[in-house]
Amino acid sequence: VKESEARYRKLVEFSPDAVLVHDGARILFANTAAARLLGTEAARELVGMDIWRFLRDEFKMIAGDRVRRILEEGAASPSMEQEWQRLDGSPVAVEVQGTFMPYGGKPAVLAILRDVTERKKTAQLLTRYERLATIGKVIAAIAHEVRNPLAVVAGMSQVLRSKLAHR
């Protein structure tokens, strides 16, 4: 049992995703990735902290409902993007998934958080580039439509110039 527990602890500790266990109010366990994500030096600093201090106000109601369902029904929650805030108040976009897990003989929530800040920035850049490409296509089409009549005008002006030169 001890060997199995040590294996799982090592697995969680070396996970690139943040792992938090909380009772719906206080953090009971956090791994190193959670400490990095939330802005602490060590994971043990998070233990005992209010879990809700990290959630932005606009996500608290939805998250509260998810946590309640997990604790009361033992149901897992599907992955959801939320914006959390680090201890210094800076925002961090995360994808959160939670499930029921007994911890210390009491009901708790195992939450896995993945930092999706870079993915969101990349998606925003891609959207911007797509918009710029669309604008470029529109400008090219307008230029083409303007160029056609100008070609006629230029051609007619050459004809007029040659007729006037022969007079």
Side-chain angles (χ1 to χ4, degrees):
V1 172
K2 281 187 176 188
E3 185 179 311
S4 177
E5 184 179 323
R7 244 191 336 259
Y8 284 115
R9 186 169 292 279
K10 189 176 265 188
L11 179 70
V12 168
E13 204 46 54
F14 286 101
S15 170
D17 292 331
V19 177
L20 292 172
V21 177
H22 64 87
D23 61 7
R26 301 267 174 228
I27 297 172
L28 306 172
F29 171 84
N31 70 349
T32 304
R36 273 193 310 272
L37 180 74
L38 298 175
T40 62
E41 289 290 320
R44 67 181 172 278
E45 294 176 40
L46 292 171
V47 175
M49 284 189 177
D50 181 3
I51 188 71
W52 301 105
R53 77 176 292 168
F54 298 104
L55 260 75
R56 305 284 288 219
D57 288 339
E58 60 267 24
F59 295 105
K60 285 183 180 179
M61 193 164 68
I62 294 168
D65 188 48
R66 288 166 53 107
V67 167
R68 183 192 52 72
R69 266 200 321 273
I70 290 170
L71 291 172
E72 290 176 4
E73 301 169 16
S77 66
S79 186
M80 176 185 180
E81 276 194 26
Q82 297 175 348
E83 193 167 292
W84 284 38
Q85 58 189 19
R86 294 183 170 98
L87 283 174
D88 65 5
S90 62
V92 59
V94 295
E95 191 176 82
V96 183
Q97 192 169 3
T99 191
F100 180 82
M101 180 181 131
Y103 190 85
K106 296 180 182 174
V109 176
L110 169 66
I112 310 293
L113 291 82
R114 177 169 289 154
D115 186 345
V116 294
T117 305
E118 289 304 313
R119 183 173 75 189
K120 287 187 77 144
K121 284 181 185 176
T122 301
Q124 288 171 342
L125 279 174
L126 184 60
T127 301
R128 184 172 179 220
Y129 291 144
E130 287 172 349
R131 212 173 333 164
L132 289 173
T134 302
I135 290 169
K137 288 177 184 176
V138 169
I139 289 171
I142 291 170
H144 176 73
E145 293 302 319
V146 169
R147 204 175 19 237
N148 285 345
L150 285 178
V152 172
V153 170
M156 294 303 286
S157 67
Q158 285 179 349
V159 170
L160 283 172
R161 196 178 301 156
S162 69
K163 284 187 180 186
L164 289 174
H166 291 307
R167 280 188 181 199

